[in-house]
Amino acid sequence: MRGLRTAAAVAAAVALAAGAGTGAASAAGAAPAGVGECQPGTLKATTTDAGGSQHGMNHAGTYLRVQNTGKTACAFSGYPGLALEGAGHTALKTEVRHGDTYFAKDPGVHRVTLKPGRSAYADLVWTHTGAGTAHAKYLQISPTGSNAHSVVPFDQEVDNGTLSVTAWSAKLPTS
């Protein structure tokens, strides 16, 4: 849980800095009229290959998918909070890097509005050369960087516990 809190704090700081750095007015970041922020428990996160594979040059990847399971449209922005867990759900040291990945360009932090049942995506990539390998069994995914998260199976060897991830987008991030 500590790793997720650290990742969540970093994600929140990066999202705040990204918004402040653009000089955008608060109205520019506001959700459309009548659409509120996504509340904890209304977003379910999973991993998906989205019909393709991401492997090459000691890199591996998958897409993160977050689905609005609520009854109304909601909006959110930023990067997912991530933390690796080992066998028995033990916390593993995790470093999360935001931005472009080996397989996709970062769409940048922007408001994503999801109708009920709709999904958003982020690209998640890691290397597996054997350098300081973290033997992950599970992945915590916090869609909004808060403490509300999903835990999904993630049986991967991750160099130094380092994950690279793009911001959320309504479309699959591509290169």
Side-chain angles (χ1 to χ4, degrees):
M1 189 65 144
R2 182 175 180 201
L4 183 60
R5 286 185 186 141
T6 301
V10 170
V14 168
L16 181 60
T22 63
S26 60
V35 177
E37 293 293 314
C38 294
Q39 298 302 307
T42 61
L43 297 176
K44 179 181 179 183
T46 58
T47 59
T48 179
D49 67 7
S53 115
Q54 296 187 81
H55 297 284
M57 301 294 293
N58 292 322
H59 288 80
T62 189
Y63 291 105
L64 301 177
R65 176 179 177 238
V66 65
Q67 182 180 29
N68 180 356
T69 59
K71 296 181 189 220
T72 61
C74 66
F76 68 107
S77 64
Y79 293 90
L82 302 169
L84 296 169
E85 295 182 358
H89 294 280
T90 57
L92 298 177
K93 179 183 172 225
T94 307
E95 178 184 346
V96 180
R97 297 179 179 165
H98 298 152
D100 295 342
T101 69
Y102 187 78
F103 300 105
K105 292 281 185 199
D106 184 18
V109 174
H110 63 282
R111 177 75 66 207
V112 177
T113 300
L114 294 178
K115 293 180 180 177
R118 300 298 296 196
S119 298
Y121 302 88
D123 191 46
L124 173 65
V125 176
W126 60 96
T127 59
H128 51 87
T129 63
T133 302
H135 304 281
K137 295 292 182 188
Y138 304 96
L139 177 67
Q140 293 180 15
I141 308 168
S142 172
T144 61
S146 70
N147 283 333
H149 64 274
S150 299
V151 178
V152 298
F154 191 74
D155 192 7
Q156 301 292 331
E157 304 294 318
V158 180
D159 289 347
N160 302 308
T162 303
L163 302 169
S164 297
V165 67
T166 64
W168 290 113
S169 178
K171 298 179 183 179
L172 285 173
T174 58
S175 55

